[in-house]
Amino acid sequence: MTTFEILLQQIGLFVIYILAGVTLVRTKVLNRETLEPISKFVIKMALPVMIFINIIDGVNKEILTGSWSILLIAAGFYAVMFLVSFGMTKFFHLSENCAGICQAMMLFGNIGFMAVPVISSVFPGNGILYVSVFMVFDQLMLWTLGVKLTTPTGSGGFELKKLINPATVAILIGMLLMLTGVRIPALLDTGLQKIGATASPLAMIYIGGIFAELPLKKYLKELSLYGIVLVRMLLAPLLMFFVLGFFPVSAEIRLAMALIIGMPTMTAVVMMANASGMDGEYALGGVFITTLCGIVTLPCICWLLCY
């Protein structure tokens, strides 16, 4: 299959997972209360395990040293996008309760749940390497800057202890094992892979279930969410691909980086916003709009850059 066809297949799987979540809620098998344990399992177990296993299986000292360009690309992307996201909040005159969430939605794409299966399928050789290295920086930013952006300004502000969570612990342990060359037993590795593999479908089922109870018309009219789609999911990937052409970066890495940053908003932003008492529905509306649009924008980006 071509790169475009592989991407379409992955997008189709995400649509199936989301529709499964919608169906489970519509048929009363699940509801808002029973969806919450799924959310907690994903964010406290499946996602950290997936991050950990991707680091220890997909990255080593030599590969990490040779992939410095991806870390630089990630750092440059977040620096520029942070400034752009701040300008977006001013342009759309967002309230304090929504401004931080809007910035978080602009900064953090659904790399763990969507980019990992997409990029590893599109680039079966080095795809997991590209995502794993990018994810190291992405997750550190999510659980530092992301936590701050999704924390109410009147609740005492950012605290260092908020950095201690399952995801950051997974990153630190994974990096420690990777740098020291320590390998975990094969059986444990396989078991963790299976647990981590549940993160993507369960996250999409959770989001689909929430979509089933969401006042969709309200968010279909929210212009700031379409601003995220335009800037983050269309302009940023195209500019990234174009700018990287001036540097000694392979065409494969250029396309991988463009697809990674063109992903819809990360579902963890919704969970983090709800956990801190912020406007979780606005975040969920952002996930809904960006995910819906991503079904079209990701194949379009792939088609434009491949053909």
PDB file of all heavy atoms in Angstrom, residues 213-237:
ATOM      1  N   GLU A 213     -22.765  12.619  24.325  1.00  0.00           N
ATOM      2  CA  GLU A 213     -23.531  13.439  25.268  1.00  0.00           C
ATOM      3  C   GLU A 213     -23.172  14.922  25.164  1.00  0.00           C
ATOM      4  O   GLU A 213     -23.623  15.726  25.974  1.00  0.00           O
ATOM      5  CB  GLU A 213     -23.272  12.944  26.699  1.00  0.00           C
ATOM      6  CG  GLU A 213     -23.704  11.498  26.928  1.00  0.00           C
ATOM      7  CD  GLU A 213     -23.467  11.058  28.365  1.00  0.00           C
ATOM      8  OE1 GLU A 213     -22.607  11.660  29.035  1.00  0.00           O
ATOM      9  OE2 GLU A 213     -24.164  10.130  28.814  1.00  0.00           O
ATOM     10  N   LEU A 214     -22.377  15.273  24.181  1.00  0.00           N
ATOM     11  CA  LEU A 214     -21.897  16.652  24.055  1.00  0.00           C
ATOM     12  C   LEU A 214     -22.893  17.504  23.262  1.00  0.00           C
ATOM     13  O   LEU A 214     -23.425  17.050  22.248  1.00  0.00           O
ATOM     14  CB  LEU A 214     -20.535  16.647  23.342  1.00  0.00           C
ATOM     15  CG  LEU A 214     -19.750  17.950  23.326  1.00  0.00           C
ATOM     16  CD1 LEU A 214     -19.245  18.286  24.730  1.00  0.00           C
ATOM     17  CD2 LEU A 214     -18.565  17.837  22.365  1.00  0.00           C
ATOM     18  N   PRO A 215     -23.151  18.748  23.706  1.00  0.00           N
ATOM     19  CA  PRO A 215     -23.983  19.661  22.909  1.00  0.00           C
ATOM     20  C   PRO A 215     -23.202  20.139  21.681  1.00  0.00           C
ATOM     21  O   PRO A 215     -22.585  21.205  21.683  1.00  0.00           O
ATOM     22  CB  PRO A 215     -24.270  20.809  23.888  1.00  0.00           C
ATOM     23  CG  PRO A 215     -23.124  20.792  24.850  1.00  0.00           C
ATOM     24  CD  PRO A 215     -22.730  19.354  24.987  1.00  0.00           C
ATOM     25  N   LEU A 216     -23.220  19.317  20.654  1.00  0.00           N
ATOM     26  CA  LEU A 216     -22.338  19.532  19.512  1.00  0.00           C
ATOM     27  C   LEU A 216     -22.575  20.861  18.803  1.00  0.00           C
ATOM     28  O   LEU A 216     -21.628  21.498  18.322  1.00  0.00           O
ATOM     29  CB  LEU A 216     -22.504  18.376  18.513  1.00  0.00           C
ATOM     30  CG  LEU A 216     -22.203  16.977  19.065  1.00  0.00           C
ATOM     31  CD1 LEU A 216     -22.363  15.924  17.986  1.00  0.00           C
ATOM     32  CD2 LEU A 216     -20.801  16.920  19.646  1.00  0.00           C
ATOM     33  N   LYS A 217     -23.838  21.289  18.713  1.00  0.00           N
ATOM     34  CA  LYS A 217     -24.137  22.527  17.981  1.00  0.00           C
ATOM     35  C   LYS A 217     -23.403  23.717  18.580  1.00  0.00           C
ATOM     36  O   LYS A 217     -22.978  24.628  17.867  1.00  0.00           O
ATOM     37  CB  LYS A 217     -25.648  22.784  17.974  1.00  0.00           C
ATOM     38  CG  LYS A 217     -26.436  21.783  17.134  1.00  0.00           C
ATOM     39  CD  LYS A 217     -27.925  22.146  17.112  1.00  0.00           C
ATOM     40  CE  LYS A 217     -28.704  21.159  16.246  1.00  0.00           C
ATOM     41  NZ  LYS A 217     -30.155  21.484  16.231  1.00  0.00           N
ATOM     42  N   LYS A 218     -23.243  23.707  19.911  1.00  0.00           N
ATOM     43  CA  LYS A 218     -22.567  24.807  20.586  1.00  0.00           C
ATOM     44  C   LYS A 218     -21.140  24.955  20.101  1.00  0.00           C
ATOM     45  O   LYS A 218     -20.653  26.065  19.856  1.00  0.00           O
ATOM     46  CB  LYS A 218     -22.592  24.567  22.101  1.00  0.00           C
ATOM     47  CG  LYS A 218     -21.798  25.583  22.911  1.00  0.00           C
ATOM     48  CD  LYS A 218     -21.847  25.233  24.387  1.00  0.00           C
ATOM     49  CE  LYS A 218     -20.993  26.195  25.220  1.00  0.00           C
ATOM     50  NZ  LYS A 218     -21.018  25.838  26.665  1.00  0.00           N
ATOM     51  N   TYR A 219     -20.445  23.844  19.937  1.00  0.00           N
ATOM     52  CA  TYR A 219     -19.036  23.891  19.571  1.00  0.00           C
ATOM     53  C   TYR A 219     -18.817  23.935  18.068  1.00  0.00           C
ATOM     54  O   TYR A 219     -17.738  24.324  17.620  1.00  0.00           O
ATOM     55  CB  TYR A 219     -18.308  22.712  20.207  1.00  0.00           C
ATOM     56  CG  TYR A 219     -18.344  22.812  21.712  1.00  0.00           C
ATOM     57  CD1 TYR A 219     -19.196  22.009  22.461  1.00  0.00           C
ATOM     58  CD2 TYR A 219     -17.581  23.754  22.387  1.00  0.00           C
ATOM     59  CE1 TYR A 219     -19.261  22.127  23.838  1.00  0.00           C
ATOM     60  CE2 TYR A 219     -17.638  23.884  23.763  1.00  0.00           C
ATOM     61  CZ  TYR A 219     -18.484  23.073  24.476  1.00  0.00           C
ATOM     62  OH  TYR A 219     -18.560  23.214  25.846  1.00  0.00           O
ATOM     63  N   LEU A 220     -19.806  23.559  17.313  1.00  0.00           N
ATOM     64  CA  LEU A 220     -19.705  23.707  15.859  1.00  0.00           C
ATOM     65  C   LEU A 220     -19.657  25.177  15.463  1.00  0.00           C
ATOM     66  O   LEU A 220     -19.210  25.521  14.370  1.00  0.00           O
ATOM     67  CB  LEU A 220     -20.883  23.013  15.164  1.00  0.00           C
ATOM     68  CG  LEU A 220     -20.848  21.477  15.151  1.00  0.00           C
ATOM     69  CD1 LEU A 220     -22.160  20.916  14.608  1.00  0.00           C
ATOM     70  CD2 LEU A 220     -19.668  20.975  14.318  1.00  0.00           C
ATOM     71  N   LYS A 221     -20.111  26.054  16.364  1.00  0.00           N
ATOM     72  CA  LYS A 221     -20.119  27.489  16.091  1.00  0.00           C
ATOM     73  C   LYS A 221     -18.954  28.220  16.757  1.00  0.00           C
ATOM     74  O   LYS A 221     -18.855  29.442  16.647  1.00  0.00           O
ATOM     75  CB  LYS A 221     -21.443  28.090  16.578  1.00  0.00           C
ATOM     76  CG  LYS A 221     -22.682  27.507  15.909  1.00  0.00           C
ATOM     77  CD  LYS A 221     -23.952  28.086  16.515  1.00  0.00           C
ATOM     78  CE  LYS A 221     -25.201  27.471  15.896  1.00  0.00           C
ATOM     79  NZ  LYS A 221     -26.447  28.008  16.519  1.00  0.00           N
ATOM     80  N   GLU A 222     -18.079  27.496  17.464  1.00  0.00           N
ATOM     81  CA  GLU A 222     -16.961  28.118  18.180  1.00  0.00           C
ATOM     82  C   GLU A 222     -15.797  28.370  17.217  1.00  0.00           C
ATOM     83  O   GLU A 222     -15.066  27.456  16.837  1.00  0.00           O
ATOM     84  CB  GLU A 222     -16.518  27.220  19.328  1.00  0.00           C
ATOM     85  CG  GLU A 222     -15.374  27.762  20.159  1.00  0.00           C
ATOM     86  CD  GLU A 222     -15.669  29.118  20.765  1.00  0.00           C
ATOM     87  OE1 GLU A 222     -16.686  29.243  21.478  1.00  0.00           O
ATOM     88  OE2 GLU A 222     -14.876  30.042  20.510  1.00  0.00           O
ATOM     89  N   LEU A 223     -15.599  29.618  16.817  1.00  0.00           N
ATOM     90  CA  LEU A 223     -14.604  29.951  15.799  1.00  0.00           C
ATOM     91  C   LEU A 223     -13.178  29.664  16.246  1.00  0.00           C
ATOM     92  O   LEU A 223     -12.327  29.324  15.423  1.00  0.00           O
ATOM     93  CB  LEU A 223     -14.737  31.429  15.412  1.00  0.00           C
ATOM     94  CG  LEU A 223     -16.035  31.825  14.698  1.00  0.00           C
ATOM     95  CD1 LEU A 223     -16.032  33.318  14.381  1.00  0.00           C
ATOM     96  CD2 LEU A 223     -16.217  31.014  13.419  1.00  0.00           C
ATOM     97  N   SER A 224     -12.887  29.812  17.541  1.00  0.00           N
ATOM     98  CA  SER A 224     -11.518  29.595  18.009  1.00  0.00           C
ATOM     99  C   SER A 224     -11.053  28.166  17.747  1.00  0.00           C
ATOM    100  O   SER A 224      -9.863  27.922  17.508  1.00  0.00           O
ATOM    101  CB  SER A 224     -11.405  29.914  19.504  1.00  0.00           C
ATOM    102  OG  SER A 224     -12.198  29.034  20.283  1.00  0.00           O
ATOM    103  N   LEU A 225     -11.987  27.224  17.749  1.00  0.00           N
ATOM    104  CA  LEU A 225     -11.628  25.830  17.503  1.00  0.00           C
ATOM    105  C   LEU A 225     -11.233  25.616  16.047  1.00  0.00           C
ATOM    106  O   LEU A 225     -10.335  24.821  15.744  1.00  0.00           O
ATOM    107  CB  LEU A 225     -12.787  24.907  17.886  1.00  0.00           C
ATOM    108  CG  LEU A 225     -13.249  25.003  19.350  1.00  0.00           C
ATOM    109  CD1 LEU A 225     -14.401  24.049  19.619  1.00  0.00           C
ATOM    110  CD2 LEU A 225     -12.086  24.733  20.307  1.00  0.00           C
ATOM    111  N   TYR A 226     -11.885  26.333  15.149  1.00  0.00           N
ATOM    112  CA  TYR A 226     -11.505  26.242  13.741  1.00  0.00           C
ATOM    113  C   TYR A 226     -10.177  26.957  13.489  1.00  0.00           C
ATOM    114  O   TYR A 226      -9.447  26.614  12.548  1.00  0.00           O
ATOM    115  CB  TYR A 226     -12.605  26.820  12.854  1.00  0.00           C
ATOM    116  CG  TYR A 226     -13.884  26.014  12.911  1.00  0.00           C
ATOM    117  CD1 TYR A 226     -14.965  26.433  13.683  1.00  0.00           C
ATOM    118  CD2 TYR A 226     -13.998  24.809  12.213  1.00  0.00           C
ATOM    119  CE1 TYR A 226     -16.140  25.686  13.763  1.00  0.00           C
ATOM    120  CE2 TYR A 226     -15.160  24.054  12.286  1.00  0.00           C
ATOM    121  CZ  TYR A 226     -16.218  24.500  13.064  1.00  0.00           C
ATOM    122  OH  TYR A 226     -17.371  23.743  13.128  1.00  0.00           O
ATOM    123  N   GLY A 227      -9.873  27.937  14.345  1.00  0.00           N
ATOM    124  CA  GLY A 227      -8.574  28.582  14.270  1.00  0.00           C
ATOM    125  C   GLY A 227      -7.463  27.586  14.568  1.00  0.00           C
ATOM    126  O   GLY A 227      -6.400  27.605  13.936  1.00  0.00           O
ATOM    127  N   ILE A 228      -7.717  26.691  15.542  1.00  0.00           N
ATOM    128  CA  ILE A 228      -6.750  25.647  15.871  1.00  0.00           C
ATOM    129  C   ILE A 228      -6.551  24.719  14.678  1.00  0.00           C
ATOM    130  O   ILE A 228      -5.423  24.342  14.338  1.00  0.00           O
ATOM    131  CB  ILE A 228      -7.214  24.850  17.101  1.00  0.00           C
ATOM    132  CG1 ILE A 228      -7.251  25.754  18.342  1.00  0.00           C
ATOM    133  CG2 ILE A 228      -6.307  23.642  17.347  1.00  0.00           C
ATOM    134  CD1 ILE A 228      -7.864  25.101  19.565  1.00  0.00           C
ATOM    135  N   VAL A 229      -7.651  24.351  14.042  1.00  0.00           N
ATOM    136  CA  VAL A 229      -7.568  23.473  12.867  1.00  0.00           C
ATOM    137  C   VAL A 229      -6.744  24.132  11.760  1.00  0.00           C
ATOM    138  O   VAL A 229      -5.850  23.513  11.169  1.00  0.00           O
ATOM    139  CB  VAL A 229      -8.979  23.129  12.342  1.00  0.00           C
ATOM    140  CG1 VAL A 229      -8.890  22.355  11.028  1.00  0.00           C
ATOM    141  CG2 VAL A 229      -9.746  22.317  13.372  1.00  0.00           C
ATOM    142  N   LEU A 230      -7.023  25.396  11.482  1.00  0.00           N
ATOM    143  CA  LEU A 230      -6.342  26.100  10.397  1.00  0.00           C
ATOM    144  C   LEU A 230      -4.851  26.250  10.674  1.00  0.00           C
ATOM    145  O   LEU A 230      -4.015  25.940   9.812  1.00  0.00           O
ATOM    146  CB  LEU A 230      -6.976  27.476  10.195  1.00  0.00           C
ATOM    147  CG  LEU A 230      -6.304  28.382   9.153  1.00  0.00           C
ATOM    148  CD1 LEU A 230      -6.387  27.758   7.769  1.00  0.00           C
ATOM    149  CD2 LEU A 230      -6.946  29.768   9.155  1.00  0.00           C
ATOM    150  N   VAL A 231      -4.523  26.724  11.883  1.00  0.00           N
ATOM    151  CA  VAL A 231      -3.120  27.025  12.191  1.00  0.00           C
ATOM    152  C   VAL A 231      -2.329  25.767  12.530  1.00  0.00           C
ATOM    153  O   VAL A 231      -1.271  25.504  11.954  1.00  0.00           O
ATOM    154  CB  VAL A 231      -3.026  28.038  13.354  1.00  0.00           C
ATOM    155  CG1 VAL A 231      -1.572  28.280  13.742  1.00  0.00           C
ATOM    156  CG2 VAL A 231      -3.692  29.347  12.965  1.00  0.00           C
ATOM    157  N   ARG A 232      -2.843  24.981  13.468  1.00  0.00           N
ATOM    158  CA  ARG A 232      -2.096  23.821  13.973  1.00  0.00           C
ATOM    159  C   ARG A 232      -2.101  22.654  12.991  1.00  0.00           C
ATOM    160  O   ARG A 232      -1.084  21.982  12.812  1.00  0.00           O
ATOM    161  CB  ARG A 232      -2.697  23.395  15.310  1.00  0.00           C
ATOM    162  CG  ARG A 232      -2.450  21.959  15.695  1.00  0.00           C
ATOM    163  CD  ARG A 232      -1.264  21.777  16.587  1.00  0.00           C
ATOM    164  NE  ARG A 232      -0.808  20.385  16.548  1.00  0.00           N
ATOM    165  CZ  ARG A 232       0.021  19.870  17.423  1.00  0.00           C
ATOM    166  NH1 ARG A 232       0.506  20.613  18.386  1.00  0.00           N
ATOM    167  NH2 ARG A 232       0.403  18.620  17.326  1.00  0.00           N
ATOM    168  N   MET A 233      -3.249  22.391  12.360  1.00  0.00           N
ATOM    169  CA  MET A 233      -3.402  21.164  11.595  1.00  0.00           C
ATOM    170  C   MET A 233      -3.212  21.323  10.090  1.00  0.00           C
ATOM    171  O   MET A 233      -3.105  20.322   9.379  1.00  0.00           O
ATOM    172  CB  MET A 233      -4.774  20.550  11.899  1.00  0.00           C
ATOM    173  CG  MET A 233      -4.950  20.178  13.364  1.00  0.00           C
ATOM    174  SD  MET A 233      -6.625  19.637  13.769  1.00  0.00           S
ATOM    175  CE  MET A 233      -6.754  18.167  12.753  1.00  0.00           C
ATOM    176  N   LEU A 234      -3.177  22.556   9.619  1.00  0.00           N
ATOM    177  CA  LEU A 234      -2.970  22.777   8.181  1.00  0.00           C
ATOM    178  C   LEU A 234      -1.710  23.596   7.902  1.00  0.00           C
ATOM    179  O   LEU A 234      -0.795  23.134   7.227  1.00  0.00           O
ATOM    180  CB  LEU A 234      -4.193  23.457   7.575  1.00  0.00           C
ATOM    181  CG  LEU A 234      -5.431  22.572   7.381  1.00  0.00           C
ATOM    182  CD1 LEU A 234      -6.628  23.403   6.942  1.00  0.00           C
ATOM    183  CD2 LEU A 234      -5.144  21.476   6.354  1.00  0.00           C
ATOM    184  N   LEU A 235      -1.657  24.817   8.435  1.00  0.00           N
ATOM    185  CA  LEU A 235      -0.530  25.693   8.134  1.00  0.00           C
ATOM    186  C   LEU A 235       0.783  25.192   8.749  1.00  0.00           C
ATOM    187  O   LEU A 235       1.824  25.177   8.087  1.00  0.00           O
ATOM    188  CB  LEU A 235      -0.830  27.115   8.621  1.00  0.00           C
ATOM    189  CG  LEU A 235      -1.999  27.831   7.938  1.00  0.00           C
ATOM    190  CD1 LEU A 235      -2.179  29.235   8.510  1.00  0.00           C
ATOM    191  CD2 LEU A 235      -1.779  27.899   6.420  1.00  0.00           C
ATOM    192  N   ALA A 236       0.742  24.790  10.029  1.00  0.00           N
ATOM    193  CA  ALA A 236       1.966  24.357  10.714  1.00  0.00           C
ATOM    194  C   ALA A 236       2.630  23.155  10.033  1.00  0.00           C
ATOM    195  O   ALA A 236       3.850  23.173   9.814  1.00  0.00           O
ATOM    196  CB  ALA A 236       1.672  24.059  12.186  1.00  0.00           C
ATOM    197  N   PRO A 237       1.882  22.085   9.678  1.00  0.00           N
ATOM    198  CA  PRO A 237       2.540  20.952   9.001  1.00  0.00           C
ATOM    199  C   PRO A 237       3.155  21.335   7.655  1.00  0.00           C
ATOM    200  O   PRO A 237       4.265  20.896   7.334  1.00  0.00           O
ATOM    201  CB  PRO A 237       1.389  19.946   8.813  1.00  0.00           C
ATOM    202  CG  PRO A 237       0.386  20.305   9.838  1.00  0.00           C
ATOM    203  CD  PRO A 237       0.470  21.787   9.987  1.00  0.00           C
TER     204      PRO A 237
END
